[in-house]
C-alpha cells in the first residue's frame, strides 16, 4: 500500500514533530529538512533582485488529505493568512471521499506578442507574416537550442488585427512557444525580441512591444472533484442541503462580478500559496487567472459547482497556469526545491495539476464555510492568535489570550493588550 496523505492529528503536532513526520513521508534528507527554515541566504537574495538588505520569511504549512489523479500528495503552502492550509486540508478530505481530484493540463504553450504599427494595410501585413511562418519559427528556435533539444520551442505563429486601438489599427503577431518545464517568460521574450527585425522586414511596419502575454490560455489546467453529499453533513444540516447551498453560492459568483472577485480570490488563496512555496511567479498566475475569468467579456467565476444525478456535489475549475519546475527562483530557493520534492512534482504539468486541485479545494473550503456557519468562527480562532502575538504575548500566553478574545467575541488588539496585562499582573501577584 502506498503512502497516505491522510495524516490524522498532523495539526496537533509541534512544528518540529511535523518536520519529522514530513521527512519520513517524503524521504527528505536532513539538509532538505534544514532548508524548510531559512533557505535563502543573503548572498543568494542579493543576486535575485536589486538593492537587497534582507530576506522576508512567511509561514510554510502542509495541506494534508490530497489525492490527485489517484496519488496521495502533501501540498506545501506559503501564506500569511490563517485558515487557508486548514481549509484546503479539510476540503481535500471531503473530495478524497469521492476519489480525490482528477486533474489534467495541456502543453506548456505560452504566447509571445509582437506589436506592429505604421502599416498601410494591416490585413495584408498579417497575410505576409503568415506566408513567412516557417522563417519566423526557425529564427525563434535558433535563440534557444536547449529548449529545442528538450522538444520545446516555437510551435506556431498567429496574427491578430486590432482595428480600434487608441493609436489606430495595429497588427499583433503571436508566437506560440512550448516552454516544457519552465514558466518560460525569459525564453519567450528572447524569441520575440529576436523576431522583431524580421517582422519589420516582412511587414514594412514598425515593431514596438515584444513581450509574453500573461493570458496563457493555451496553457490551461483543469481539476474536477466529486463530494458525496453525506460528507457535507453538519450538526444541524443534511449534506444534501449543504450541497444545494454551495451550488447557490457558486450561482452568486457566476452572475455577479463583485462576488466573483471574492470567490476567485478564495481559489487563488490555494494556488498562490503553492506558487509561492515553489518559487513561481504568482503575479503572472494572478494576471492570467483574472483575465481568463473575464474572457467572455464579463468577469465571472473560474469554478463551477453542480449536483449530479446521484446527489453528489461536483466541482470543476479551469484556468491558465504558467508555472515551472526549473529556472528562476525555483532553482535558486532551496525551500522551493524541497516543496517540489515533497509533492513529487518533476514536471511543470505535475505541478499545475496539483495547483489547480489546491485551488478547487480552497474554493470548496471557503464556499462550504460561507454557506454553513460563516467563515468568521474558524477564521477568528486563528486570527486571534496573530492578534495576541501582535499584542506581545509569548509562549503559553498566545493561546490563553487568543482563547479569551474568541470567548469574548472581541478579537481586537487593544483588548488583547488589556488581557495580557491582566494576565501578567495576576501571575506576578504573590
Ligand atoms: C478570504 O481570503 C477568501 C474568501 O473570501 C473566499 C470566498 O469568499 O469565497 C473566504
Amino acid at each position: 500500500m502506498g503512502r497516505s496523505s491522510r495524516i490524522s492529528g498532523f495539526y496537533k503536532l509541534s512544528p518540529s514533530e511535523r518536520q519529522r513526520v514530513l521527512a519520513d513521508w517524503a524521504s527528505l534528507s536532513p539538509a532538505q529538512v534544514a532548508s524548510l527554515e531559512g533557505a535563502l541566504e543573503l548572498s543568494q537574495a542579493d543576486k535575485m533582485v536589486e538593492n537587497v538588505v534582507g530576506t522576508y520569511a512567511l509561514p510554510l504549512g502542509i495541506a494534508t488529505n490530497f489525492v490527485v489523479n489517484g496519488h496521495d500528495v502533501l501540498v506545501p503552502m506559503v501564506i500569511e493568512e490563517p485558515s487557508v492550509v486548514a481549509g484546503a486540508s479539510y476540503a481535500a478530505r471531503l473530495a478524497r471521499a469521492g476519489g480525490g481530484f482528477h486533474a489534467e493540463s495541456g502543453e506548456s504553450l505560452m504566447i509571445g506578442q509582437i506589436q506592429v504599427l505604421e502599416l498601410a494595410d494591416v490585413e495584408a501585413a498579417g497575410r505576409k507574416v503568415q506566408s513567412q511562418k516557417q522563417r519566423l519559427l526557425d529564427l525563434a528556435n535558433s535563440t534557444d537550442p536547449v529548449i529545442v533539444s528538450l522538444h520545446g520551442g516555437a510551435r506556431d505563429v498567429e496574427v491578430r488585427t486590432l482595428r480600434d486601438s487608441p493609436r489606430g489599427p495595429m497588427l499583433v503577431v503571436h508566437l506560440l512557444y512550448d516552454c516544457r518545464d519552465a514558466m518560460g517568460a525569459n525564453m519567450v521574450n528572447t524569441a520575440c525580441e529576436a523576431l522583431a527585425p524580421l517582422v519589420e522586414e516582412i511587414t514594412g511596419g514598425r515593431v514596438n512591444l515584444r513581450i509574453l502575454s500573461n493570458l496563457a490560455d493555451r496553457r490551461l489546467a483543469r481539476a474536477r472533484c466529486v463530494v458525496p453529499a453525506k460528507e457535507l453533513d453538519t450538526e444541524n444540516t443534511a449534506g444534501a442541503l449543504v450541497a444545494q447551498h454551495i451550488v447557490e453560492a457558486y450561482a452568486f459568483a457566476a452572475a455577479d462580478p463583485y462576488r466573483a472577485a471574492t470567490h476567485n480570490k478564495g481559489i487563488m488563496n490555494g494556488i498562490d500559496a503553492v506558487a509561492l512555496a515553489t518559487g513561481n511567479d504568482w503575479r503572472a498566475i494572478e494576471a492570467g487567472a483574472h483575465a481568463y475569468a473575464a474572457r467572455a467579456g464579463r468577469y465571472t467565476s473560474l469554478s463551477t459547482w453542480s449536483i449530479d444525478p446521484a446527489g453528489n456535489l461536483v466541482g470543476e475549475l479551469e484556468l491558465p497556469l504558467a508555472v515551472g519546475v526549473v529556472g528562476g527562483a525555483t532553482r535558486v530557493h532551496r525551500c522551493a526545491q524541497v516543496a517540489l520534492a515533497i509533492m513529487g512534482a518533476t514536471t511543470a504539468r505535475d505541478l499545475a495539476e496539483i495547483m489547480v486541485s489546491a485551488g478547487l479545494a480552497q474554493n470548496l473550503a471557503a464556499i462550504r464555510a460561507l454557506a454553513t456557519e460563516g467563515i468568521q468562527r474558524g477564521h477568528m480562532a486563528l486570527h486571534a492568535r496573530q492578534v495576541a502575538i501582535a499584542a506581545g504575548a509569548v509562549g503559553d500566553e498566545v493561546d490563553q489570550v487568543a482563547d479569551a478574545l474568541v470567548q469574548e467575541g472581541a478579537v481586537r488588539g487593544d483588548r488583547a493588550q488589556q488581557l495580557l496585562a491582566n494576565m501578567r499582573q495576576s501571575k506576578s501577584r504573590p
Side-chain angles (χ1 to χ4, degrees):
M1 212 179 81
R3 311 169 292 183
S4 172
S5 61
R6 172 106 184 79
I7 308 176
S8 90
F10 190 67
Y11 72 99
K12 291 187 192 147
L13 304 176
S14 69
S16 54
E17 285 168 336
R18 288 190 204 114
Q19 284 180 354
R20 269 198 296 280
V21 171
L22 177 66
D24 192 37
W25 198 92
S27 307
L28 300 181
S29 67
Q32 284 177 310
V33 175
S35 293
L36 295 172
E37 295 172 59
L40 189 64
E41 276 143 31
L42 202 57
S43 56
Q44 287 173 301
D46 193 35
K47 291 187 182 69
M48 290 170 76
V49 304
E50 306 74 32
N51 298 352
V52 165
V53 293
T55 57
Y56 183 111
L58 284 171
L60 164 61
I62 295 288
T64 55
N65 301 326
F66 273 81
V67 174
V68 179
N69 293 337
H71 298 289
D72 278 61
V73 189
L74 291 178
V75 182
M77 301 179 107
V78 168
I79 190 148
E80 86 298 344
E81 183 174 330
S83 302
V84 171
V85 179
S89 305
Y90 180 75
R93 206 178 91 197
L94 298 178
R96 187 182 184 93
F101 297 93
H102 299 280
E104 56 182 35
S105 54
E107 276 181 307
S108 302
L109 273 192
M110 295 300 283
I111 299 168
Q113 298 194 289
I114 302 170
Q115 178 195 22
V116 197
L117 302 119
E118 294 169 18
L119 294 164
D121 183 340
V122 176
E123 262 84 21
R127 285 192 294 275
K128 284 185 200 158
V129 168
Q130 288 289 23
S131 71
Q132 302 280 321
K133 189 185 276 191
Q134 197 52 50
R135 252 180 102 194
L136 289 160
L137 292 176
D138 291 344
L139 178 59
N141 278 332
S142 71
T143 62
D144 195 335
V146 175
I147 193 76
V148 174
S149 74
L150 295 169
H151 310 292
R155 288 279 181 267
D156 204 356
V157 173
E158 294 176 349
V159 290
R160 294 170 55 233
T161 48
L162 304 182
R163 297 234 124 263
D164 298 323
S165 91
R167 298 294 290 180
M170 60 182 79
L171 180 74
V172 184
V173 179
H174 276 192
L175 174 67
L176 303 191
Y177 197 101
D178 185 342
C179 300
R180 309 300 289 180
D181 289 321
M183 186 273 187
N186 279 328
M187 55 182 93
V188 173
N189 293 341
T190 303
C192 287
E193 290 189 4
L195 291 189
L198 181 54
V199 169
E200 287 186 337
E201 183 194 310
I202 293 169
T203 60
R206 175 174 61 85
V207 166
N208 192 32
L209 302 195
R210 299 138 295 163
I211 183 76
L212 110 163
S213 168
N214 286 125
L215 176 49
D217 60 2
R218 306 293 179 92
R219 199 174 183 175
L220 298 174
R222 275 171 223 97
R224 183 173 194 273
C225 69
V226 176
V227 181
K230 68 173 173 17
E231 295 297 319
L232 296 165
D233 283 348
T234 70
E235 233 173 279
N236 312 316
T237 316
L241 193 57
V242 174
Q244 184 191 311
H245 293 171
I246 290 174
V247 174
E248 289 163 0
Y250 150 68
F252 183 8
D256 177 24
Y258 287 91
R259 174 57 206 154
T262 324
H263 179 97
N264 291 342
K265 192 270 183 181
I267 292 171
M268 301 315 288
N269 274 346
I271 290 176
D272 288 345
V274 184
L276 267 166
T278 54
N280 272 285
D281 181 346
W282 51 270
R283 286 92 50 218
I285 298 169
E286 281 281 335
H290 295 292
Y292 194 65
R295 67 193 179 282
R298 186 175 62 82
Y299 187 85
T300 187
S301 167
L302 283 166
S303 63
T304 60
W305 291 93
S306 58
I307 296 173
D308 72 10
N312 303 311
L313 177 69
V314 180
E316 288 173 283
L317 172 63
E318 177 183 88
L319 79 168
L321 275 180
V323 294
V325 295
V326 293
T330 305
R331 187 189 293 271
V332 178
H333 204 293
R334 286 199 300 269
C335 200
Q337 289 290 322
V338 179
L340 290 171
I342 292 168
M343 290 183 282
T346 55
T347 67
R349 289 171 72 169
D350 291 344
L351 177 59
E353 288 167 15
I354 295 171
M355 283 170 86
V356 68
S357 303
L360 188 58
Q362 197 53 50
N363 184 215
L364 171 59
I367 57 177
R368 190 211 68 89
L370 289 166
T372 54
E373 81 262 16
I375 59 158
Q376 285 310 80
R377 209 172 75 187
H379 196 77
M380 276 303 159
L382 283 159
H383 177 58
R385 294 174 67 182
Q386 283 186 354
V387 172
I389 292 167
V394 288
D396 291 347
E397 290 173 345
V398 176
D399 282 336
Q400 286 163 11
V401 172
D403 290 349
L405 290 172
V406 171
Q407 257 173 26
E408 289 181 3
V411 185
R412 293 194 323 264
D414 61 326
R415 184 63 190 139
Q417 278 170 0
Q418 279 169 2
L419 286 165
L420 187 61
N422 295 348
M423 225 175 255
R424 286 180 177 169
Q425 216 168 31
S426 60
K427 265 192 205 147
S428 66
R429 268 192 219 115

Coordinates of all heavy atoms in Angstrom, one line a residue, residues 40 42-54 283:
L40 N 17.0 30.8 2.3 CA 17.6 31.8 1.3 C 18.6 32.7 2.0 O 18.3 33.4 2.9 CB 16.4 32.7 0.8 CG 16.8 33.6 -0.4 CD1 17.2 32.8 -1.6 CD2 15.7 34.5 -0.7
L42 N 21.5 35.6 2.3 CA 21.5 37.0 1.9 C 22.3 37.1 0.5 O 21.9 37.8 -0.4 CB 22.2 37.8 3.0 CG 21.9 39.3 2.9 CD1 20.4 39.6 3.0 CD2 22.6 40.1 4.0
S43 N 23.4 36.3 0.4 CA 24.2 36.4 -0.8 C 23.4 35.9 -2.0 O 23.6 36.5 -3.1 CB 25.5 35.6 -0.6 OG 25.1 34.3 -0.3
Q44 N 22.5 34.9 -1.8 CA 21.7 34.5 -2.9 C 20.6 35.5 -3.2 O 20.4 35.8 -4.4 CB 21.0 33.2 -2.6 CG 21.8 32.0 -2.5 CD 21.0 30.8 -2.0 OE1 20.5 30.9 -0.8 NE2 20.9 29.7 -2.7
A45 N 20.0 36.0 -2.2 CA 19.0 37.1 -2.4 C 19.5 38.3 -3.1 O 18.9 38.8 -4.0 CB 18.4 37.5 -1.0
D46 N 20.8 38.6 -2.8 CA 21.4 39.7 -3.5 C 21.6 39.5 -5.0 O 21.7 40.5 -5.7 CB 22.8 39.9 -2.8 CG 23.4 41.3 -3.2 OD1 22.6 42.2 -3.3 OD2 24.6 41.3 -3.4
K47 N 21.6 38.3 -5.4 CA 21.7 38.0 -6.8 C 20.3 37.9 -7.5 O 20.2 37.9 -8.7 CB 22.5 36.7 -7.1 CG 23.9 36.8 -6.7 CD 24.7 35.6 -7.1 CE 26.2 35.8 -6.6 NZ 26.3 35.7 -5.1
M48 N 19.3 37.9 -6.7 CA 17.9 37.7 -7.3 C 17.3 39.1 -7.7 O 16.7 39.2 -8.7 CB 17.0 37.0 -6.3 CG 17.4 35.5 -6.2 SD 16.4 34.7 -4.8 CE 14.8 34.5 -5.5
V49 N 17.4 40.1 -6.8 CA 16.8 41.4 -7.1 C 17.9 42.5 -6.7 O 19.0 42.1 -6.3 CB 15.5 41.6 -6.3 CG1 14.5 40.5 -6.7 CG2 15.7 41.8 -4.8
E50 N 17.5 43.7 -6.8 CA 18.4 44.8 -6.6 C 18.3 45.4 -5.2 O 17.3 45.2 -4.5 CB 18.1 45.9 -7.6 CG 18.1 45.5 -9.1 CD 16.8 44.7 -9.5 OE1 15.8 45.0 -8.9 OE2 16.9 43.8 -10.3
N51 N 19.3 46.0 -4.8 CA 19.4 46.8 -3.5 C 18.9 46.0 -2.3 O 18.2 46.4 -1.4 CB 18.4 48.0 -3.6 CG 18.9 49.0 -4.7 OD1 20.0 48.8 -5.3 ND2 18.1 50.0 -5.0
V52 N 19.4 44.7 -2.3 CA 18.9 43.8 -1.2 C 19.5 44.2 0.2 O 20.6 44.6 0.3 CB 19.4 42.4 -1.5 CG1 19.2 41.4 -0.3 CG2 18.5 41.8 -2.7
V53 N 18.6 44.2 1.2 CA 19.0 44.5 2.5 C 18.7 43.3 3.5 O 19.0 43.3 4.6 CB 18.5 45.8 3.1 CG1 19.0 47.0 2.3 CG2 16.9 45.8 3.0
G54 N 17.9 42.4 3.0 CA 17.5 41.3 3.9 C 16.7 40.3 3.1 O 16.6 40.3 1.9
R283 N 2.3 36.6 -9.5 CA 1.6 37.8 -10.1 C 1.2 37.4 -11.5 O 0.1 37.8 -12.0 CB 2.5 39.0 -10.2 CG 2.6 39.8 -8.8 CD 3.8 39.3 -8.1 NE 5.0 39.3 -8.8 CZ 6.0 38.3 -8.7 NH1 5.8 37.3 -7.8 NH2 7.1 38.4 -9.4

